[in-house]
Amino acid sequence: VLRPTLIRIGGRIYRKNLVQEQAYQNEEEEDFYAGPGDCADEPCDTFVVEETEKGFQCRVEVPSPLYKYIIGKKGETKKRLETETRTSISIPKPGVEGEMVITGQQRSGVISARTRIDVLLESFRKKQPFTHFLSFALNQPVIQEKFLQFKEEVLEKCSKDHGISSSLFQNPAKLHLTLGTLVLLNEQEIQKACDLLQRCKEDFVDQIAGGKPLTVEVAGVEYMNDDPAMTDVLYAKVHMKDGSDRLQVIADKLVERFVASGLMLKEWDRVKLHATVMNTLFRKDPSAVEQNSTATGKSSFKERESFNGRNILKLFENFCFGEVQLDSVRLSQRFSSDASGYYATSGQL
């Protein structure tokens, strides 16, 4: 209560007061409400409020999967918003992409309703499982070949260690570096991410890369958690062949831009460059994409069966997976495959 969660929306910071959420059997009827004390009803220059013949109105772009959070259980959230802000909120039909329109006789009421809707959307967007991620593909033939050699040798030398099985290993066609994850809920948001990717190319990527592919070496293995005997994610380390930090700089700047745009949540101060080679999530879902944080979506850690990675770390500490030329950053779609077996690409630079 004394240290409420702070939510940044459109350059302003709001506090999110502690509320008691009720669990409903049908998620689509889930009710969550930002009360009068959650947002200051002050003039806001981060969105447009238009004056009309009957008062004022404000349009809000909202992906259709999030409509239900503004409507609430049996429409209760929408009704309370309208009653307390003295506005009317028009919401498109379920599954139909469009704009919510807030109308009211008082400008302050429209601003209040819009601000509370923004807080609701921000809160529930964080609960959505990610749909896309920025990636560098590492599925070139030479890397795939060395990865399969690594897999064969691990199963040969470490098969008796707790939890080791062939189901832990990444699909070689999907080897990649993840820069950051995104929740893109409609075509407009996907296009926005693609456009931003192109602007990043023009603004700094070409300059840092010198207009040439980056030559990187994939070598050595490391684990994510604290105890190597209880490993969930084992990854290959990646570094620039010339010893520079250009790959790290590009990754950090890309994430910084996407976080600033609101398309990505900030997880770390720096991107952890790594290529997952073994993951306990793969036991049940071979198409799983490892995520550094459970902040977005529901946690799967309860279902994980860790493995003992001590011998792998000792025997393959300096294993070389090869060199690769990185020439594009991709906006990859989760749970998908293209003709090469890699993730389907929604956009790239």
Side-chain angles (χ1 to χ4, degrees):
V1 174
L2 295 177
R3 295 181 179 178
T5 302
L6 299 179
I7 301 175
R8 183 184 295 274
I9 300 174
R12 290 175 175 266
I13 298 177
Y14 301 93
R15 74 176 189 275
K16 177 184 171 186
N17 288 346
L18 184 65
V19 296
Q20 187 171 2
E21 293 185 59
Q22 293 179 314
Y24 298 101
Q25 291 183 343
N26 186 349
E27 185 193 8
E28 294 192 4
E29 293 185 344
E30 187 172 356
D31 188 19
F32 179 98
Y33 181 62
D38 287 337
C39 314
D41 297 343
E42 59 183 60
C44 185
D45 56 5
T46 58
F47 47 79
V48 177
V49 177
E50 304 170 322
E51 189 168 3
T52 65
E53 293 181 358
K54 297 182 180 180
F56 299 86
Q57 73 173 20
C58 181
R59 297 178 178 275
V60 193
E61 289 187 5
V62 181
S64 59
L66 299 182
Y67 293 168
K68 61 188 179 184
Y69 300 119
I70 305 303
I71 296 170
K73 184 174 183 286
K74 297 181 180 179
E76 290 175 4
T77 299
K78 179 175 177 287
K79 290 174 186 175
R80 286 204 294 267
L81 279 169
E82 291 176 323
T83 299
E84 296 195 5
T85 61
R86 297 183 180 180
T87 59
S88 175
I89 302 171
S90 173
I91 301 177
K93 293 180 180 179
V96 178
E97 296 297 337
E99 295 178 320
M100 288 188 185
V101 181
I102 307 165
T103 56
Q105 294 184 351
Q106 300 295 323
R107 186 173 188 273
S108 61
V110 172
I111 290 174
S112 177
R114 168 61 191 264
T115 305
R116 296 179 197 180
I117 286 174
D118 283 345
V119 171
L120 284 170
L121 294 175
E122 181 77 7
S123 174
F124 282 105
R125 181 178 281 276
K126 290 179 179 179
K127 295 184 178 182
Q128 304 300 310
F130 72 91
T131 59
H132 295 73
F133 57 100
L134 294 181
S135 73
F136 282 107
L138 295 177
N139 62 345
Q140 290 79 351
V142 62
I143 301 293
Q144 289 199 46
E145 185 178 339
K146 293 293 287 185
F147 169 77
L148 290 173
Q149 178 187 332
F150 168 78
K151 177 180 178 179
E152 183 180 342
E153 291 185 15
V154 168
L155 292 175
E156 179 184 335
K157 299 175 181 178
C158 307
S159 60
K160 294 183 180 180
D161 295 343
H162 174 75
I164 300 293
S165 73
S166 60
S167 64
L168 291 172
F169 291 84
Q170 173 69 281
N171 177 346
K174 283 182 158 54
L175 287 166
H176 67 278
L177 296 178
T178 298
L179 305 186
T181 59
L182 305 94
V183 177
L184 305 177
L185 299 176
N186 59 21
E187 289 301 321
Q188 290 89 335
E189 292 189 346
I190 293 173
Q191 188 58 52
K192 184 179 177 182
C194 291
D195 293 344
L196 179 56
L197 204 52
Q198 289 305 313
R199 288 200 299 275
C200 289
K201 171 181 169 63
E202 298 164 6
D203 291 348
F204 61 85
V205 173
D206 283 346
Q207 180 182 356
I208 297 172
K212 299 178 181 179
L214 300 177
T215 303
V216 302
E217 185 176 27
V218 185
V221 292
E222 191 55 87
Y223 62 105
M224 280 288 186
N225 49 308
D226 297 328
D227 184 359
M230 296 291 288
T231 299
D232 282 317
V233 176
L234 191 81
Y235 63 90
K237 295 183 283 188
V238 180
H239 61 268
M240 287 288 297
K241 182 68 175 176
D242 63 9
S244 73
D245 64 349
R246 288 185 296 157
L247 178 60
Q248 185 70 57
V249 171
I250 289 174
D252 289 340
K253 281 184 171 290
L254 281 169
V255 170
E256 182 181 335
R257 282 290 187 91
F258 272 79
V259 169
S261 74
L263 290 170
M264 187 181 289
L265 293 176
K266 184 172 183 178
E267 297 182 74
W268 312 103
D269 291 333
R270 300 181 77 222
V271 175
K272 187 175 182 65
L273 294 171
H274 66 282
T276 299
V277 292
M278 298 174 69
N279 190 333
T280 53
L281 287 180
F282 296 155
R283 291 189 197 277
K284 294 187 177 182
D285 182 7
S287 66
V289 179
E290 166 264 331
Q291 185 177 15
N292 295 339
S293 169
T294 58
T296 305
K298 298 178 181 178
S299 171
S300 300
F301 287 95
K302 292 181 180 179
E303 301 175 4
R304 289 186 163 189
E305 179 194 346
S306 300
F307 64 92
N308 187 344
R310 283 177 174 167
N311 283 332
I312 298 176
L313 290 163
K314 183 178 179 179
L315 295 172
F316 300 91
E317 180 181 6
N318 299 311
F319 187 90
C320 183
F321 293 88
E323 293 180 15
V324 63
Q325 302 280 322
L326 300 182
D327 57 4
S328 69
V329 180
R330 308 187 189 197
L331 178 62
S332 301
Q333 183 180 333
R334 194 181 186 189
F335 304 128
S336 68
S337 297
D338 61 14
S340 72
Y342 193 68
Y343 300 95
T345 301
S346 298
Q348 64 180 6
L349 64 78

